[in-house]
Amino acid sequence: MERSLQEGLSRDAKRRLEGVRLLLLDVDGVLTDGGLYYGSTGEEFKRFDAKDGAGLVIARMNGLEAGIITGKTSSIVEKRSREFGMTRVVQGAVDKIPALEALLSDGAYTLDEVAYMGDDVLDLPVLKRVGFAACPGDAHGSVRARVHYVCGLPGGRGAVRELVDLWLELHGKLDAVAERFWDGPGFAGSGEVFPGGKA
């Protein structure tokens, strides 16, 4: 039997994650592997993980909204966020606290209802403020030492999916998700379109 993702999670961390309704993510080093790839004419490429993508669609199907706060500005991120139907996206946010405040300015969520996943020191101010702080397994040591949850998987290679699965497990929904795809309609009838063409 596969071990529970909740093993080692403190009672306080579980309580915090139970209250989360919005998952905000950094991009480089979280949704991607952190590598910066450039073509011969200067065009930029980023690698995203399909399992993370599936996790974000499944999260939305189960009532967990996702958004982005990133220090860089990229048309690739704009395209990827559109594919996921994300409306809470701020790029070019070197200082991420004003970005966080802007994303919450409509009053739909409180800070306690927000989880954030970041991987480096620029993310620490947001990680300190939100209800639940997480990072990929290969995040900088200063981040790993301060968050509620350190993923076993690295950035851009399943860390986001791991956090979504943890949220689903904590809410008693993880098995139901698997059953929907094993015996049921999968994405069919959900109104969701899977980005990137993976089925």
Side-chain angles (χ1 to χ4, degrees):
M1 184 176 176
E2 201 166 330
R3 73 174 183 87
S4 168
L5 290 169
Q6 298 177 51
E7 286 181 19
L9 201 62
S10 71
R11 183 178 300 177
D12 177 63
K14 288 180 182 179
R15 177 189 59 79
R16 287 171 174 271
L17 188 55
E18 282 175 349
V20 166
R21 297 191 301 122
L22 173 64
L23 172 60
L24 296 177
L25 304 163
D26 182 28
V27 175
D28 293 322
V30 173
L31 280 168
T32 77
D33 60 9
L36 300 176
Y37 307 96
Y38 293 95
S40 59
T41 59
E43 68 272 31
E44 183 180 350
F45 303 91
K46 293 180 185 293
R47 178 196 177 278
F48 295 90
D49 192 287
K51 290 186 293 297
D52 287 340
L56 290 173
V57 174
I58 291 165
R60 187 169 60 200
M61 289 169 61
N62 285 274
L64 178 62
E65 185 181 357
I68 286 172
I69 301 177
T70 178
K72 293 188 70 179
T73 300
S74 166
S75 59
I76 301 169
V77 172
E78 182 182 346
K79 179 179 186 295
R80 193 65 172 160
S81 60
R82 273 201 316 270
E83 287 178 339
F84 289 116
M86 291 180 181
T87 59
R88 297 177 191 271
V89 178
V90 178
Q91 297 198 67
V94 178
D95 182 354
K96 296 191 175 185
I97 291 300
L100 174 65
E101 292 171 346
L103 291 179
L104 302 183
S105 62
D106 62 359
Y109 302 102
T110 66
L111 280 169
D112 287 342
E113 294 174 317
V114 178
Y116 181 72
M117 182 182 284
D119 71 307
D120 213 331
V121 292
L122 285 176
D123 299 303
L124 288 175
V126 175
L127 290 166
K128 184 177 181 179
R129 286 255 196 125
V130 297
F132 189 83
C135 72
D138 60 345
H140 190 271
S142 62
V143 176
R144 295 198 310 270
R146 288 169 169 82
V147 297
H148 301 108
Y149 184 75
V150 178
C151 293
L153 294 169
R157 298 188 180 274
V160 171
R161 178 63 175 274
E162 180 180 332
L163 182 57
V164 169
D165 283 352
L166 174 61
W167 183 90
L168 290 166
E169 183 182 289
L170 200 58
H171 286 82
K173 297 181 177 183
L174 187 57
D175 288 341
V177 167
E179 290 304 316
R180 179 184 177 98
F181 287 85
W182 183 256
D183 289 324
F187 287 124
S190 68
E192 299 289 350
V193 177
F194 191 89
K198 182 180 171 68

